[in-house]
């Protein structure tokens, strides 16, 4: 058990997406788990070749030439999730050999404390059973694996099922390998709301869905870590008394001059016309994620109707930032308009929009956002760190310590990353009496 923990901890020592990229030449990080890396390469389909990335640029170019400039949101959606050549669709983009690293991959303490938080709040709500563990955009499945480890330690005695919402067929397999004993992909024509199933070593059933709408009804503990930053954003500008949209056009109509550029829409677009700023909005230039608003609305409806808790963890702001759309490739900033499909596209999450969308859509009680460093400290992260260090081999202690420091340090991930929790409105008086741990 300890060896396993140390192996996990010792490979989580790269840098992370939004704050600082690692100097790969300088890191002494050991290679990621050999078997998994090999299998991910073996499974990598032909569709991730340079040709495909080139063809994505060609497809986007042909579309723009045929129908005119496209929104940044449409560009982002195509680049990240185009079924043939989308960035997430057919490769492992995480870790030293990928483009970025995320908190659950840096230290096991992250997933463990999230697991303890879920158990504590679930118990406060009367330990409802059965319940579902739902994760949006699970990446490599590391957070789910660490949370499941905690749930099994607590021996909850409840009926549990696991539901992953993942658009990438390739990543869904990596996730299943992380925490399932067996898994199988369903035939394309199965007509079921899930496309992959699995069973954990302890017999818990897991299901993979393409959309949150396809997750069955029922009391749910819902996690979203670095999911909302991958959802498309529209870029809007207040000009001449109305909102106008920044679009993406081809750089030149000449065949031999490829590339893309930003242009301002000549007239209002459907989104700039319907956009309703949150009362008090002062920015004249902002990023608006219609898809975030839609997904948060679905979460709010579900939590109000079926009961549940959502924990949203991401880098972001509270409605003050104006221009955060960017790309990452090989752990460095990259021009988002160059080589579409070869780099991750992202924008800081607007937590003010999330809170507003949740509270507008249903009777929802939101907590936060609070900074990640504060949340983890309040969850007794130091105590867990000391425990791990007490049992660690001397050569692993520095890696374990620096991983936790990276997650909590204000100059690293401690303040830019934030936590926001959603509860059914009816439990608000109960939560006044028994405050939500980590948020106060
Ligand atoms: C930045 S990664 C975060 C991964 C993981 N949560 C972590 O923190 O390590 C984004 C994840 O969301 C998935 N994803 C992106 N857009 C999605 C969408 N529209 N629906 C479902 N999953 C999506 C990606 O395939 C990937 O698993």
């Amino acid at each position: 058990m300890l060896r396993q923990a140390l192996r996990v901890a010792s490979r989580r020592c790269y840098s992370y997406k939004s704050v600082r990229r690692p100097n790969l030449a300088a890191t002494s990080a050991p290679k990621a788990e050999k078997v998994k890396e090999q299998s991910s390469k073996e499974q990598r389909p032909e569709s991730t070749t340079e040709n495909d990335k080139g063809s994505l640029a060609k497809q986007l170019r042909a579309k723009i030439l045929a129908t005119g400039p496209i929104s940044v949101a449409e560009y982002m959606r195509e680049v990240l999730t185009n079924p043939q050549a989308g960035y997430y669709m057919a490769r492992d983009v995480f870790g030293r050999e990928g483009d970025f690293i995320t908190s659950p991959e840096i230290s096991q303490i992250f997933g463990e404390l999230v697991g303890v938080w879920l158990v504590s709040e679930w118990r406060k709500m009367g330990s409802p059973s059965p319940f579902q563990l739902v994760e949006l955009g699970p990446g490599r499945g590391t957070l789910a694996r660490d949370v499941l480890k905690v749930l099994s330690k607590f021996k909850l005695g409840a009926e549990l099922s696991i539901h992953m919402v993942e658009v990438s067929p390739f990543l869904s397999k990596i996730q299943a390998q992380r925490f399932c004993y067996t898994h199988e992909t369903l035939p394309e024509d199965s007509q079921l709301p899930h496309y992959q199933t699995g069973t954990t070593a302890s017999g818990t059933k897991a299901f993979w869905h393409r959309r949150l709408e396809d997750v069955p009804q029922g009391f749910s503990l819902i996690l979203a870590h670095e999911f909302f930053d991958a959802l498309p954003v529209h870029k809007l500008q207040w000009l001449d008394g109305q909102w106008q949209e920044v679009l993406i056009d081809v750089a030149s109509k000449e065949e031999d001059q490829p590339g893309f550029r930003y242009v301002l829409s000549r007239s209002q677009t459907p989104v700039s016309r319907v956009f309703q700023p949150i009362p008090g909005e002062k920015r004249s230039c902002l990023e608006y994620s219609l898809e975030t608003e839609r997904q948060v609305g679905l979460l709010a409806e579900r939590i109000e109707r079926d009961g549940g808790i959502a924990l949203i963890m991401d880098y972001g702001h509270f409605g003050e930032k104006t221009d955060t759309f960017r790309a990452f490739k090989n752990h460095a900033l990259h021009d988002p308009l160059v080589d579409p499909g070869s780099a991750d596209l992202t924008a800081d999450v607007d937590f003010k929009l999330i809170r507003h969308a949740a509270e507008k859509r249903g009777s929802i009680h939101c907590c936060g956002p609070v900074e990640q460093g504060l949340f983890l400290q309040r969850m007794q992260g130091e105590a867990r760190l000391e425990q791990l260090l007490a049992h660690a081999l001397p050569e692993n202690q520095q890696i374990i310590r620096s991983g936790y420091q990276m997650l909590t340090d204000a100059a690293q991930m401690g303040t830019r990353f934030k936590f926001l929790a959603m509860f059914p409105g009816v439990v608000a008086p109960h939560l006044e009496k028994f405050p939500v741990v980590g948020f106060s």
Side-chain angles (χ1 to χ4, degrees):
M1 175 62 203
L2 180 60
R3 282 219 180 127
Q4 166 73 1
L6 288 174
R7 243 187 291 133
V8 171
S10 66
R11 63 165 195 276
R12 295 172 181 177
C13 54
Y14 319 121
S15 191
Y16 42 87
K17 184 153 60 171
S18 66
V19 187
R20 181 169 59 83
R21 301 276 126 186
N23 173 355
L24 295 180
T27 182
S28 58
K31 281 213 173 222
E33 213 176 338
K34 250 192 180 150
V35 179
K36 292 283 186 322
E37 288 295 319
Q38 277 166 358
S39 70
S40 30
K41 276 178 191 136
E42 276 158 22
Q43 287 172 40
R44 181 178 298 192
E46 294 295 310
S47 64
T48 53
T49 61
E50 287 303 315
N51 265 352
D52 276 320
K53 286 180 232 140
S55 82
L56 183 57
K58 278 190 193 147
Q59 274 178 44
L60 288 163
R61 182 178 170 81
K63 181 173 173 38
I64 293 170
L65 286 173
T67 60
I70 58 174
S71 65
V72 172
E74 188 175 351
Y75 180 83
M76 214 172 156
R77 185 179 302 110
E78 277 300 304
V79 169
L80 294 182
T81 58
N82 175 288
Q84 274 78 47
Y87 175 75
Y88 281 118
M89 301 308 276
R91 73 187 114 163
D92 185 357
V93 295
F94 306 90
R96 186 165 60 166
E97 289 169 11
D99 294 314
F100 57 86
I101 183 93
T102 61
S103 294
E105 307 278 343
I106 291 169
S107 169
Q108 69 189 78
I109 297 177
F110 186 88
E112 289 173 351
L113 297 183
V114 168
V116 171
W117 185 88
L118 287 174
V119 171
S120 147
E121 295 307 316
W122 172 78
R123 283 191 170 152
K124 259 163 53 185
M125 289 177 80
S127 307
S129 176
F131 75 92
Q132 315 183 129
L133 177 69
V134 180
E135 188 178 354
L136 311 182
R140 277 180 171 171
T142 308
L143 175 61
R145 183 185 65 182
D146 290 345
V147 166
L148 286 167
K149 223 167 48 183
V150 170
L151 298 191
S152 74
K153 286 256 157 69
F154 275 97
K155 302 199 186 345
L156 303 178
E159 198 187 313
L160 162 71
S161 59
I162 302 163
H163 298 268
M164 301 281 114
V165 178
E166 175 57 72
V167 77
S168 163
F170 181 80
L171 288 177
S172 71
K173 289 196 175 62
I174 294 194
Q175 292 151 20
Q177 286 161 6
R178 268 281 190 275
F179 57 82
C180 283
Y181 182 62
T182 59
H183 68 279
E184 88 174 290
T185 306
L186 274 55
E188 285 286 329
D189 57 357
S190 79
Q191 309 278 328
L192 289 167
H194 49 269
Y195 63 91
Q196 181 175 279
T197 57
T199 309
T200 67
S202 61
T204 305
K205 292 275 179 239
F207 303 86
W208 274 260
H209 311 268
R210 290 193 181 84
R211 310 173 316 152
L212 174 59
E213 294 91 312
D214 297 333
V215 175
Q217 293 187 2
F219 187 97
S220 303
L221 302 180
I222 305 167
L223 297 173
H225 182 263
E226 289 207 28
F227 170 72
F228 284 97
D229 72 88
L231 295 188
V233 293
H234 294 265
K235 287 180 85 70
L236 300 176
Q237 274 185 25
W238 181 253
L239 214 68
D240 302 331
Q242 62 182 10
W243 288 103
Q244 294 192 4
E245 184 160 5
V246 175
L247 302 174
I248 293 176
D249 198 359
V250 293
S252 161
K253 292 206 163 96
E254 304 300 324
E255 272 294 324
D256 58 346
Q257 290 178 41
F260 301 93
R261 66 184 174 121
Y262 297 107
V263 293
L264 197 60
S265 61
R266 289 210 192 100
S267 53
Q268 280 204 293
T269 60
V271 168
S272 73
R273 210 170 291 132
V274 301
F275 172 64
Q276 298 211 327
I278 297 173
E281 178 61 68
K282 294 206 170 55
R283 293 169 296 175
S284 58
C285 159
L286 53 85
E287 288 158 345
Y288 166 58
S289 177
L290 184 62
E291 184 58 11
T292 291
E293 205 171 10
R294 191 185 76 79
Q295 299 256 10
V296 170
L298 292 172
L299 285 179
E301 273 176 15
R302 178 178 285 271
I303 288 175
E304 189 187 2
R305 184 190 62 221
D306 306 337
I309 306 169
L311 186 62
I312 296 174
M313 301 153 279
D314 224 310
Y315 43 89
H317 58 94
F318 202 66
E320 69 275 359
K321 289 209 177 160
T322 56
D323 184 13
T324 69
F325 175 57
R326 60 200 184 282
F328 283 102
K329 184 173 178 174
N330 298 330
H331 299 264
L333 270 171
H334 176 82
D335 184 338
L337 301 193
V338 170
D339 277 342
S342 71
D344 183 32
L345 299 185
T346 179
D348 278 17
V349 169
D350 184 346
F351 281 98
K352 192 173 189 177
L353 175 73
I354 291 188
R355 238 191 122 121
H356 183 74
E359 291 169 346
K360 189 172 79 177
R361 190 66 167 258
S363 169
I364 292 294
H365 176 76
C366 287
C367 299
V370 297
E371 293 168 353
Q372 171 164 301
L374 208 51
F375 179 90
L376 296 178
Q377 279 159 19
R378 287 172 174 164
M379 287 297 301
Q380 306 301 317
E382 269 86 15
R384 179 61 182 142
L385 173 65
E386 291 310 320
Q387 215 177 30
L388 282 178
L389 289 173
H391 296 95
L393 296 171
E395 61 267 35
N396 288 324
Q397 292 193 346
Q398 182 48 26
I399 282 170
I400 295 171
R401 204 187 298 280
S402 68
Y404 182 71
Q405 197 182 349
M406 190 179 280
L407 299 184
T408 50
D409 186 1
Q412 299 188 66
M413 302 171 88
T415 54
R416 283 201 66 179
F417 283 73
K418 301 186 173 69
F419 282 50
L420 182 142
M422 290 164 57
F423 294 84
V426 289
V427 302
H430 185 61
L431 297 179
E432 292 264 307
K433 244 167 122 185
F434 305 101
V436 180
V437 58
F439 287 86
S440 53

